[in-house]
Amino acid sequence: MIVLLVAHLVAALIAPVLVARLGRVAFAWLALAPAAAAGWAAIRTPEVLAGAAPTELLTWVPSIGLELAFRLDVLSWLLTLVAGAIGALVLVYCAAYFEEDEPGLGRFAACLVGFAGAMLGLVTSDDLLVLYLFWEATTVLSYLLIGHRPQSRSSRSAATQALVVTTFGGLAMLGGLIVVGQRVGTYRLSEVVATFAAAPIAPGDTLLVTAVVLVLLGAVSKSALVPFHFWLPAAMAAPTPVSAYLHAAAMVKAGIYLVARLAPAFADVPAWRWCVLVLGGATMLLGAYRSLRQHDLKLLLAYGTVSQLGFLVVLTGTGTPDAALAGVALLLAHAMFKACLFLVVGVMDHATSTRDLRELNGLRASMPVLAVTAAVAAASMAGLPPTLGFVAKEAALAAYARADAADLATLAVLVVGSMLTFAYSARFVWGAFWDGPARNAEPTHVHAPGAVLVGVPAVLAAASLLAPLAAGPIDTALLGYAGVFGEPHEHLALWHGLTPALGLSVLTWLVGSALFAGRAGLERAQDRVPEVPAAEDVYRRIMRGLDRVSLEVTGASQRGSLPLTLGAILVVFVALPGGVLVATAPWGELSLRWADSAAQVGVAIVTVIAAVAAVRARRRFRAIYLVGVTGYASAMIFLLFGAPDLALTQVLVETVSVVLFILVLRRLPGRFDDEGSRGARAMRVGFGVAVGAVAAALAVVVPQARTAAPASDGMAELAVDYGGGENIVNVILVDIRAWDTMGELSVVLAAATGVASLVFLHRDNVARADRRVREMRARRRRALGRGHRPADGTDGTGGRTWLVGHEVHGSGRHSTMFEVVTRMIFHVVMTWSLFLLFAGHNNPGGGFAAGLVAGLALVVRYLAGGRVELRSAMPVAPRTLLGLGLFLSAGNALASMIASGDPLQTWIFDVPVPLIGKVHVVTSLAFDVGVYLVVIGLMLDVLRSLGSSLDRQIEDEEHRRAPSAPQPVGGRP
Amino acid sequence: MSPLALIGPPSATFTPSEVSYLSILPMLIVAGAALIGVLVEAFAPRAARFTAQFAVAMLGLLAAFAVIAMRAPAMIGVTLSGAVVVDGPALVFQGMVLLMGAAGLALMAERFGGRGPDAFTPSGSSVPGSQAEGLAERLGTTTEVFPLTMFALLGMMLFPASGDLLTMFVALEVLSMPLYVLTALARRRRLLSQEAALKYFLLGSFSSAFFLFGAALLYGYAGSLNLGEIGRAVGTVSGRGGLLAAGALLLFVGLLFKVGAVPFHSWTPDVYQGAPTPVTGFMAACTKVAAFGALLRLVYVGLAGSRWDWELVLWIVAGLTMVVGSVLSVSQTDIKRLLAYSSVAHAGFILVGLLAIDRAGIAAVTFYLASYGFATIAAFGIVLLVRARGSEATHISQWAGLGRRAPVLAAGMGLLLMGFAGIPLTSGFTAKFAVFAAAVAHAGAAGVVLTVIGVLSSAVTAYVYFRIVVLMFFSEPGGAPVDVLRPSAGGATAIGVGLLTTVVLGVFPAPLLALAASASQFLW
């Protein structure tokens, strides 16, 4: 079997070359591949019928149970024969059907042969996954075959429709197969069937029942059952040989095959039974009913196929020996007569260029062989003796004639369906070959079809006619399959005697004839019946709905809005950890103290008021100040808890952030621009409160869970013994956790460099800034050389002006008062920062706080005098400070190592200094100085980039906006 | 060990951790290459930079991969005091990250044989349209993308090998930061690119913060950040379940954000669209691999014992991710956004495999990532080649009739899309099958439900992909002419590898499946 599959693959691969070389005759050569498959199956017949199913096994992906296992039992044997023989005939037919210059014929040939191979693989594979693989292969190849003429829009949409529907079913089936396979523990088809046949599924096993229904969904969609029946008639856009092969013998039979294959395992599951009977019955009736009103012969046959597929599913899915026997017999009969009829339509289309039965006239005379062929095939379809169709239908009617109510209902459906089938079969033959409605028109012009085109359908028709002669052997052969259900009551035969089934058959012929005779009235009646919403519309609506839902959800949730996205994340935060909090309700064990003193309550109230006011503020500046207030309030709380160092740092950080905020906010409008609707704002408030509440709740609950001793235990002693300082916060920074501080310094350095490199994009800018710094330094040196009193007072830093900054400040912006105060406090503040730096080891302070204080002093200078003033106050490049700071810190570590200590170890000296006494010196002071310098450098950097650079941008813009008005520079009003 | 001992007298009890240099050698090589890249950027003459950068980065990746390929068994072990755990899954994920990184790098270096500019702006920080930008434009391309990519790769290698939550967080940041920057560097449509980067950065920082918060809560629960310790504590510590569940969920926020799972997915389309296309491909493949590697370790090593606490949430997330990703991809008109949503759906499928909580799940997730990663890089590589008036033709309507204009390219894209759809004989099928089978076998009823949701979502995504195939092959070309650039050898290799893996992993998946299964044992 594997060799045959490879042969198909090779044939498919060389098909384009062959077609290019030989033209359409290549099809005849390609027919060898499916013919070989059929021939091989025929040779194996004795072995198969003896019950010894030949198997082949090639390990492929053992870890996921994917094995190339093939097995040829009776069912596979039958389908191999059918698919192979009809495939070969269709390919031979193709050789005569297509024009030499048909575009894309090579690809078409490849797909058709490939399809034959996929079909062979599908019916012989004994591995569920390999079966699925071939299943999808038939889907994709049929898509390419249906869409053979991609220029036509209908062809395109039909192909897509078929693809979407069958892929959907296929994937659903895959889900079911996985569940089944995992449950049984193997994906070997024969073992799975054997397992479930031996131990039927318990009705309560919902998972498995779901899986079975999913598998059935695949079969239903593939075999075009209600509600997926619509893709099959639409797929008639394909070239006729494709319709003959795919829609009669092969692809749609894949679903039937699967049902037949799994029926021994699942037929007892009620869900399976109901699906099969209801969907199959409905499909049979609906297809036949629709078929009665088609004018396009191909569509008539397509709906007929739908109807027959419903019939087949009912028979093969029922799970009784009689029904199964009838099912496989009908499968065989249907393949013959339906392929034949499609090919006949192809010939007519070829010969007359139309398929409309209202236009065709008098073909009986011009194409007599074809007419006989069609009549025989149609007789088989209608179930008239002595055709195989009759034998199968007899068996089918007999199978349901002797049991319970459900069976009788099924029987009624089958009988009605057969009546309709008879009627449309008659309509087909009559419309195609006898006089059409255009009774008086001229006979349709015909150019004679070739012998191959007529011969191939004739062979199939002959087979339909001759097969019943071998009813006995066929019965024996098919029993190899149907026998697993038990011993059937009836066997296949042309004549059983005067049975009830025969009576029902006669009844169907009579009523069918009546329906045909009254076809005009029937058509009118059908027109009057209001159109039920066609499944195709439902499909379209679902697809449109999918589009629409997708669009709307995209529009609603994917507007690219940051608040929306953030909102989603926050909702999750509130819902999940918040939900856990509520669920575990840990508050019971909490012991909370509300307040230690009235002062704490007061500070808390201030914080709350500031927070609420900040949310309500519509001006940015106000909001920033109010947020600042909450920060200062927490500093107060720290202070009240006796942590002056923390409070100091908090105050300084808060101040710096407010200042930086304001520097940036200069560039934004004063008010928040998105007022938003009331509801939106309320929602935002809700979000904020909820997130805050969850975070606060976590903050309250989490520390309560502490069982381990805090890491800070013992640090107070260590700080004095090893760090030589009493300010534990500072000692932690410069000694105990000095490595962390070092890392942070590096990060600060990198961040400052990053900010600077963003602002000073180019070397030019950096060079310009450096030049300005150098100039400023030179100017100061000059000024110092003149003893602080420049004679003219224009280029100095002191003298007649308090600050140099005013020279470039706009006249409206500077304030003498501010300049005076700045001048007076700057040095005081700097001194204080030095004090903090040196005192920090034992008292509140330290390098970080001191650096912030110094930075604030610079901020004041900048605010009072602008960027020139900033340069004058600190005429060094920030990078120098940053580098020096890091060097000091790292050098401290190195120096300690050189002195044979550990890196960053603190050495304590008490140095006697005359007059002052003993001075307590710790080496970590150098480290602290490094911190100090880095912080100042960072502040300077930030001021230069967010302050000075923005200033220049603003000035540039103002300049551009009012080029005529000269900038007021210098002079005081 | 008492807290006092932890911080005790400096030299007495401090023992430096054992470092197995072989175990971390690949990471050291990548880090070294990244640092050399920085030096090249600073000191090499402008003309030589591109070649030097590309060579350094590519050699670094290949050398690191060679180490893993040749010495993998000897590398396995816990090192750096448990901060880094090099075990089977870690090595497999590192290997995948390295190879996909190399493919991504090849696309980033794509300059169409000198006939076209690369995908990156020469001056990322200049204001779009400003004078400064023009100035930079004249100076030529910038090459900082290479060291940035290498740093990101370093983080991605560390991420699945993190033995504790802090290392994991560091890795998360190391891989994220360069990606934020890379996102902002698109040559065309720079405002879109910068907006995407800003969004990515803000949301990414937020979710990182959640991760850190979760790590703190788990520390509070278990008294350790080590994943193995946390895993052991799950069975022994009682009475602090709230901390465990809340902490686990917060950690998931951080990681699920990185993999782009619903409801943390909304950044994906914006970022995928805004980022330079090669970066998108790199990010889609490598970030996903690394983040799933970390998620696997977190779930399997640290939190498996407490699965009852969070399983339901992840089931819902996985189901939603598949459904939302596939349904939203239906209405997309931009190919990059479409691939973004498809990546969301894929994240859902992978989550299904992960939730098997079994070694089969690890193997399935590994296989899925391998098949998806290479294919997605190739897909974005193809997007890079389709141009209209010099910039990428990302609107789907521009792809109409591409099959006639560039049959090979369109066929390649078709193949990749079939792979994404999970058509048999492509890697996508085997991958989907592996995750679903693992879920059905080991996750009980939830696994079956998720599998059913999964196959139905697959059907929806298949519809989307087929539509593009139909558009490429069966539609008339639209109005504006579309050019297809010819890739250079590197880019062609990256795309070729994606196509090849799609076919080879589809037809012969056994070796990789076997490798993934044999390397599915976590150490801790």
Side-chain angles (χ1 to χ4, degrees):
Chain A
M1 284 163 264
I2 293 171
V3 176
L4 285 170
L5 285 170
V6 173
H8 276 88
L9 183 65
V10 171
L13 289 179
I14 62 165
V17 185
L18 226 51
V19 170
R21 283 276 166 81
L22 306 175
R24 61 182 191 176
V25 185
F27 279 100
W29 290 103
L30 293 173
L32 287 176
W40 174 78
I43 292 170
R44 288 303 184 91
T45 306
E47 205 180 326
V48 172
L49 296 190
T55 55
E56 278 179 35
L57 179 67
L58 198 65
T59 307
W60 185 14
V61 196
S63 50
I64 57 170
L66 194 57
E67 290 171 318
L68 290 175
F70 294 93
R71 186 164 179 271
L72 195 74
D73 65 358
V74 174
L75 189 61
S76 300
W77 167 81
L78 176 71
L79 275 144
T80 306
L81 276 177
V82 168
I86 294 183
L89 287 173
V90 166
L91 277 166
V92 169
Y93 179 90
C94 278
Y97 179 82
F98 284 105
E99 305 294 335
E100 289 285 4
D101 55 356
E102 173 95 15
L105 205 55
R107 194 187 67 179
F108 177 83
C111 289
L112 198 54
V113 176
F115 185 90
M119 203 58 213
L120 173 67
L122 200 161
V123 297
T124 54
S125 94
D126 194 29
D127 185 289
L128 286 173
L129 296 176
V130 176
L131 182 141
Y132 172 75
L133 191 156
F134 285 114
W135 184 278
E136 290 292 293
T138 61
T139 302
V140 172
L141 288 169
S142 81
Y143 167 68
L144 294 173
L145 288 169
I146 296 170
H148 170 58
R149 294 199 179 94
Q151 292 77 15
S152 93
R153 196 181 165 75
S154 73
S155 172
R156 232 161 42 217
S157 82
T160 312
Q161 204 176 52
L163 185 65
V164 169
V165 171
T166 50
T167 306
F168 164 78
L171 283 166
M173 182 175 99
L174 175 64
L177 292 182
I178 291 175
V179 176
V180 169
Q182 292 293 345
R183 182 63 74 90
V184 181
T186 175
Y187 285 91
R188 193 65 63 79
L189 184 49
S190 47
E191 289 175 24
V192 168
V193 172
T195 307
F196 285 113
I201 299 172
D205 196 342
T206 327
L207 286 187
L208 218 43
V209 171
T210 315
V212 168
V213 172
L214 283 175
V215 173
L216 202 54
L217 195 62
V220 163
S221 68
K222 195 83 165 181
S223 287
L225 257 56
V226 169
F228 302 109
H229 60 280
F230 55 89
W231 72 260
L232 185 56
M236 289 301 139
T240 305
V242 172
S243 306
Y245 190 40
L246 267 63
H247 307 134
M251 183 161 111
V252 292
K253 290 287 164 60
I256 310 295
Y257 167 75
L258 192 70
V259 171
R261 173 61 76 199
L262 297 177
F266 299 136
D268 293 333
V269 179
W272 166 284
R273 227 185 145 74
W274 282 109
C275 281
V276 161
L277 294 183
V278 171
L279 296 183
T283 309
M284 184 175 187
L285 296 181
L286 184 77
Y289 174 80
R290 285 267 164 84
S291 174
L292 273 176
R293 54 181 304 186
Q294 301 303 324
H295 299 299
D296 183 335
L297 287 174
K298 213 169 154 187
L299 279 182
L300 190 156
L301 286 182
Y303 279 106
T305 308
V306 170
S307 165
Q308 294 284 315
L309 289 172
F311 193 8
L312 278 167
V313 163
V314 170
L315 291 178
T316 50
T318 299
T320 60
D322 285 294
L325 185 62
V328 283
L330 185 65
L331 192 152
L332 181 62
H334 178 255
M336 290 180 194
F337 68 68
K338 195 50 70 67
C340 171
L341 288 173
F342 269 114
L343 294 179
V344 165
V345 170
V347 176
M348 286 160 55
D349 196 4
H350 208 266
T352 66
S353 308
T354 180
R355 300 190 306 244
D356 193 322
L357 53 77
R358 289 166 301 189
E359 292 174 14
L360 293 167
N361 236 340
L363 293 187
R364 181 177 37 132
S366 49
M367 296 194 284
V369 182
L370 203 65
V372 173
T373 305
V376 170
S380 185
M381 180 155 78
L384 281 173
T387 60
L388 189 59
F390 167 72
V391 174
K393 196 166 284 184
E394 281 290 276
L397 295 178
Y400 293 91
R402 58 181 89 234
D404 57 3
D407 271 8
L408 285 179
T410 312
L411 183 63
V413 169
L414 296 187
V415 168
V416 173
S418 298
M419 292 166 181
L420 295 170
T421 305
F422 185 92
Y424 72 71
S425 302
R427 190 160 170 270
F428 175 83
V429 176
W430 164 81
F433 293 99
W434 270 256
D435 297 340
R439 195 168 299 253
N440 303 318
E442 291 292 302
T444 316
H445 175 74
V446 168
H447 64 264
V452 175
L453 286 186
V454 180
V456 171
V459 169
L460 287 166
S464 295
L465 205 55
L466 296 177
L469 300 180
I474 291 177
D475 181 71
T476 322
L478 297 187
L479 267 181
Y481 164 70
V484 293
F485 297 98
E487 186 59 30
H489 298 92
E490 295 283 354
H491 290 272
L492 297 176
L494 263 179
W495 179 251
H496 289 111
L498 291 172
T499 55
L502 185 63
L504 286 173
S505 278
V506 174
L507 182 67
T508 60
W509 304 335
L510 293 177
V511 177
S513 307
L515 282 174
F516 173 66
R519 60 188 175 276
L522 193 67
E523 269 182 44
R524 276 198 299 281
Q526 283 200 355
D527 284 342
R528 274 200 299 278
V529 174
E531 194 71 25
V532 282
E536 189 168 6
D537 288 345
V538 176
Y539 164 82
R540 290 226 179 87
R541 221 168 289 160
I542 288 176
M543 285 303 162
R544 251 204 315 273
L546 190 63
D547 272 339
R548 206 186 161 75
V549 166
S550 173
L551 262 179
E552 277 176 4
V553 174
T554 311
S557 71
Q558 294 287 326
R559 285 175 301 188
S561 150
L562 201 53
L564 209 63
T565 307
L566 196 55
I569 296 181
L570 291 180
V571 165
V572 173
F573 173 71
V574 172
L576 295 183
V580 170
L581 272 183
V582 173
T584 51
W587 358 96
E589 314 128 38
L590 287 187
S591 56
L592 289 178
R593 244 178 16 256
W594 287 106
D596 293 331
S597 66
Q600 284 178 356
V601 178
V603 173
I605 290 172
V606 170
T607 311
V608 170
I609 292 174
V612 171
V615 173
R616 294 184 54 86
R618 305 312 308 151
R619 288 186 173 279
R620 293 176 202 270
F621 280 95
R622 187 179 296 161
I624 292 303
Y625 293 138
L626 289 166
V627 170
V629 170
T630 62
Y632 291 121
S634 28
M636 275 306 287
I637 294 277
F638 293 150
L639 199 60
L640 289 173
F641 273 103
D645 205 288
L646 218 49
L648 174 66
T649 312
Q650 170 73 24
V651 165
L652 292 172
V653 168
E654 201 58 47
T655 312
V656 170
S657 4
V658 168
V659 170
L660 292 186
F661 257 126
I662 286 170
L663 286 179
V664 176
L665 284 185
R666 291 180 301 168
R667 294 288 279 155
L668 295 175
R671 283 177 167 273
F672 289 107
D673 44 8
D674 63 326
E675 290 289 328
S677 69
R678 233 186 146 65
R681 285 178 60 186
M683 206 153 86
R684 274 182 231 166
V685 171
F687 266 156
V689 170
V691 173
V694 171
L698 279 173
V700 170
V701 170
V702 169
Q704 302 283 329
R706 175 188 288 285
T707 51
S712 59
D713 277 357
M715 275 198 187
E717 295 78 38
L718 286 172
V720 178
D721 294 349
Y722 292 94
E726 276 155 18
N727 178 355
I728 180 172
V729 178
N730 186 254
V731 176
I732 287 175
L733 282 177
V734 300
D735 184 291
I736 300 176
R737 291 271 186 248
W739 276 117
D740 297 4
T741 314
M742 185 100 118
E744 282 156 18
L745 288 183
S746 323
V747 171
V748 166
L749 203 75
T753 313
V755 171
S757 65
L758 275 179
V759 175
F760 301 101
L761 269 179
H762 299 288
R763 259 171 221 292
D764 302 355
N765 290 351
V766 178
R768 195 165 57 208
D770 283 352
R771 200 175 57 240
R772 293 230 174 91
V773 169
R774 272 198 306 277
E775 281 168 10
M776 182 57 74
R777 234 179 282 161
R779 205 145 66 159
R780 277 177 69 151
R781 265 200 303 277
R782 276 202 304 281
L784 284 172
R786 283 173 201 152
H788 286 275
R789 287 266 169 212
D792 51 359
T794 48
D795 63 343
T797 52
R800 283 164 51 185
T801 53
W802 284 96
L803 299 170
V804 288
H806 78 276
E807 286 176 19
V808 289
H809 247 204
S811 54
R813 288 196 203 140
H814 85 116
S815 133
T816 310
M817 192 67 172
F818 192 16
E819 287 178 5
V820 171
V821 172
T822 304
R823 184 79 197 172
M824 292 198 308
I825 66 167
F826 177 72
H827 296 98
V828 178
V829 175
M830 287 304 277
T831 314
W832 184 46
S833 91
L834 285 175
F835 168 78
L836 284 178
L837 171 64
F838 288 108
H841 217 55
N842 289 320
N843 296 308
F848 184 68
L852 284 179
V853 168
L856 282 172
L858 291 175
V859 169
V860 173
R861 282 289 283 271
Y862 164 73
L863 290 179
R867 57 179 193 263
V868 178
E869 183 60 33
L870 182 63
R871 268 202 301 279
S872 129
M874 187 68 70
V876 283
R879 58 170 187 267
T880 317
L881 291 175
L882 291 168
L884 200 60
L886 194 61
F887 176 76
L888 272 178
S889 317
N892 187 36
L894 279 178
S896 166
M897 282 169 77
I898 290 168
S900 72
D902 282 314
L904 290 175
Q905 185 178 341
T906 304
W907 304 73
I908 305 164
F909 306 97
D910 284 313
V911 188
V913 176
L915 297 178
I916 300 176
K918 270 209 285 189
V919 173
H920 181 77
V921 175
V922 286
T923 53
S924 59
L925 181 64
F927 189 90
D928 225 8
V929 173
V931 176
Y932 178 68
L933 289 178
V934 168
V935 174
I936 297 182
L938 175 72
M939 288 291 292
L940 194 59
D941 207 2
V942 168
L943 278 178
R944 283 205 329 171
S945 33
L946 296 183
S948 312
S949 278
L950 269 181
D951 281 348
R952 198 161 51 244
Q953 271 187 29
I954 294 170
E955 281 165 22
D956 284 353
E957 262 173 36
E958 282 174 355
H959 198 68
R960 249 181 313 201
R961 218 172 289 149
S964 52
Q967 281 299 99
V969 174
R972 211 172 297 183
Chain B
M1 198 188 272
S2 80
L4 257 178
L6 271 176
I7 51 155
S11 55
T13 59
F14 179 77
T15 42
S17 58
E18 289 289 321
V19 182
S20 157
Y21 285 101
L22 179 63
S23 299
I24 57 169
L25 185 57
M27 286 188 269
L28 290 180
I29 292 174
V30 170
L35 292 173
I36 293 174
V38 172
L39 293 179
V40 168
E41 195 64 30
F43 296 115
R46 195 176 279 274
R49 260 186 233 164
F50 177 82
T51 320
Q53 288 285 25
F54 183 65
V56 165
M58 199 49 105
L59 285 178
L61 293 185
L62 295 181
F65 183 76
V67 171
I68 294 181
M70 291 190 296
R71 299 300 306 277
M75 292 166 71
I76 287 177
V78 180
T79 184
L80 289 170
S81 310
V84 173
V85 179
V86 178
D87 50 18
L91 285 174
V92 170
F93 277 84
Q94 288 187 343
M96 284 201 287
V97 162
L98 284 170
L99 288 183
M100 289 173 195
L105 212 60
L107 281 181
M108 289 186 204
E110 181 60 76
R111 293 166 141 194
F112 313 103
R115 272 165 287 125
D118 59 14
F120 300 98
T121 170
S123 158
S125 56
S126 64
V127 178
S130 70
Q131 214 178 354
E133 191 190 14
L135 195 73
E137 193 86 40
R138 277 196 295 284
L139 286 173
T141 55
T142 45
T143 41
E144 68 249 21
V145 291
F146 295 107
L148 282 172
T149 308
M150 295 302 278
F151 280 120
L153 280 169
L154 174 66
M156 289 166 180
M157 290 173 74
L158 182 59
F159 209 22
S162 313
D164 61 51
L165 291 173
L166 218 50
T167 312
M168 203 175 259
F169 177 74
V170 170
L172 174 68
E173 291 302 294
V174 170
L175 81 87
S176 303
M177 292 295 170
L179 286 180
Y180 301 147
V181 179
L182 285 170
T183 304
L185 291 180
R187 178 179 282 272
R188 313 269 171 188
R189 298 208 253 178
R190 290 199 42 215
L191 280 176
L192 199 66
S193 169
Q194 293 186 346
E195 187 190 329
L198 186 67
K199 273 183 197 164
Y200 193 21
F201 169 64
L202 286 177
L203 296 171
S205 321
F206 241 92
S207 55
S208 298
F210 281 134
F211 183 93
L212 207 52
F213 197 0
L217 292 188
L218 279 193
Y219 180 74
Y221 170 77
S224 170
L225 286 167
N226 186 286
L227 287 172
E229 294 290 335
I230 293 172
R232 276 184 281 276
V234 166
T236 51
V237 176
S238 60
R240 277 176 263 154
L243 283 189
L244 175 64
L249 292 172
L250 285 171
L251 288 179
F252 287 141
V253 171
L255 289 175
L256 292 175
F257 176 84
K258 275 287 161 224
V259 305
V262 175
F264 317 108
H265 67 291
S266 10
W267 60 275
T268 28
D270 293 340
V271 173
Y272 277 34
Q273 188 186 18
T277 306
V279 171
T280 313
F282 168 72
M283 199 156 62
C286 294
T287 312
K288 203 150 270 181
V289 170
F292 268 110
L295 198 56
L296 273 176
R297 185 175 297 280
L298 176 67
V299 167
Y300 283 62
V301 176
L303 300 174
S306 65
R307 55 195 285 189
W308 308 116
D309 287 337
W310 45 261
E311 219 169 20
L312 179 67
V313 173
L314 281 203
W315 286 337
I316 295 172
V317 166
L320 271 181
T321 306
M322 292 188 285
V323 171
V324 170
S326 50
V327 169
L328 289 194
S329 63
V330 169
S331 63
Q332 300 309 314
T333 53
D334 185 287
I335 186 87
K336 282 169 87 177
R337 287 185 85 85
L338 190 146
L339 288 174
Y341 282 110
S342 130
S343 93
V344 172
H346 282 294
F349 298 136
I350 301 172
L351 272 179
V352 172
L354 186 137
L355 288 174
I357 320 273
D358 182 87
R359 282 184 67 174
I362 302 175
V365 168
T366 310
F367 186 88
Y368 202 116
L369 287 167
S371 71
Y372 170 76
F374 287 110
T376 201
I377 290 179
F380 281 106
I382 289 178
V383 172
L384 185 68
L385 300 180
V386 182
R387 302 288 176 118
R389 277 190 236 97
S391 62
E392 284 162 26
T394 56
H395 199 277
I396 284 179
S397 65
Q398 291 171 302
W399 286 54
L402 200 67
R404 247 167 278 172
R405 189 156 290 152
V408 177
L409 183 106
M413 192 69 182
L415 176 68
L416 294 173
L417 292 175
M418 291 300 106
F420 290 149
I423 297 297
L425 291 182
T426 63
S427 56
F429 167 71
T430 322
K432 281 213 176 86
F433 174 76
V435 293
F436 291 151
V440 167
H442 302 287
V448 174
V449 172
L450 285 178
T451 298
V452 172
I453 296 177
V455 291
L456 296 183
S457 305
S458 298
V460 174
T461 55
Y463 165 64
V464 175
Y465 303 135
F466 290 154
R467 239 177 16 183
I468 297 179
V469 173
V470 172
L471 192 76
M472 286 195 298
F473 286 101
F474 300 140
S475 291
E476 294 300 320
V482 176
D483 302 322
V484 174
L485 297 183
R486 179 180 286 277
S488 61
T493 311
I495 297 172
V497 166
L499 294 173
L500 204 65
T501 49
T502 305
V503 175
V504 170
L505 293 185
V507 181
F508 304 109
L512 182 61
L513 278 171
L515 173 69
S518 70
S520 60
Q521 183 63 57
F522 278 112
L523 280 183
W524 63 80

